[in-house]
Amino acid sequence: QQKVQQSPESLIVPEGAMTSLNCTFSDSASQYFAWYRQHSGKAPKALMSIFSNGEKEEGRFTIHLNKASLHFSLHIRDSQPSDSALYLCAVSTGYQNFYFGKGTSLTVIP
Amino acid sequence: NAGVIQTPRHKVTGKGQEATLWCEPISGHSAVFWYRQTIVQGLEFLTYFRNQAPIDDSGMPKERFSAQMPNQSHSTLKIQSTQPQDSAVYLCASSLPTGNTLYFGAGTRLSVL
């Protein structure tokens, strides 16, 4: 079964800082990689996703994928207090079920 | 579009009692997923359906958990003889036939006393 691990478990950064979150996976046949964000007491919500090696940028958020290293990451530029949430990475081998990491709890201090 | 609807939002059961959780996916979404979330284990996959057919239940504790999708508008997760370790937030999600994005409901918080 797919193993998905995230690091760090928690992170505290000042407002305006660059934040980097990491995710590793075990199945080299994985095809779809995504980040979800879950604010306290709320449902997880899709943030962004990527299929192929490389980088994808959407506003302040950038996702990097390196399939050979079984690793992808999320970078948040100019972090804001509203970015404070639990960040979950998700991996799928296609139109199959999605496996999630345990999450990284991010706190952005004003 | 009301999103994925889960009921009840909170459920308290005594040890050994049965709990049934309901999920109404977004109209037009053909895949329905059930997950369980705890602080210790994170978001654990339980089972999923595609076009109402069970596809993968590898995450389901086989003895007491069961899930059904009798029609395209709702799915149920039933836990028999609930135990304290079943206490968690149970999340339902749905996705489009050709999509990879999961849309989650607000969850049902199950507390087993």
Side-chain angles (χ1 to χ4, degrees), chain A residues 32 36 38 43 97-98 102, chain B residues 35 37 40 45 56 100 102 105:
Chain A
Y32 172 81
Y36 285 73
Q38 185 178 24
N97 55 348
F98 298 80
K102 290 186 179 182
Chain B
Y35 289 86
Q37 187 173 34
V40 175
F45 167 78
D56 184 347
N100 283 296
L102 297 183

Side-chain angles (χ1 to χ4, degrees), chain A residues 1 32 34 36 38 41-47 49 51 86 88 90-92 94-103, chain B residues 9 33 35 37 39-43 45 48 50 55-56 58-59 91 95 97-107:
Chain A
Q1 190 180 59
Y32 172 81
Y36 285 73
Q38 185 178 24
K42 303 293 186 183
K45 188 173 181 180
L47 197 55
S49 61
F51 287 91
L86 181 69
L88 299 159
V91 182
S92 172
Y95 291 117
Q96 303 291 335
N97 55 348
F98 298 80
Y99 290 95
F100 285 81
K102 290 186 179 182
Chain B
R9 289 297 312 278
F33 301 78
Y35 289 86
Q37 187 173 34
I39 298 292
V40 175
Q41 298 296 332
L43 198 58
F45 167 78
Y48 92 100
R50 190 170 292 279
I55 302 300
D56 184 347
S58 59
L91 290 164
S95 70
T98 56
N100 283 296
T101 300
L102 297 183
Y103 295 83
F104 283 89

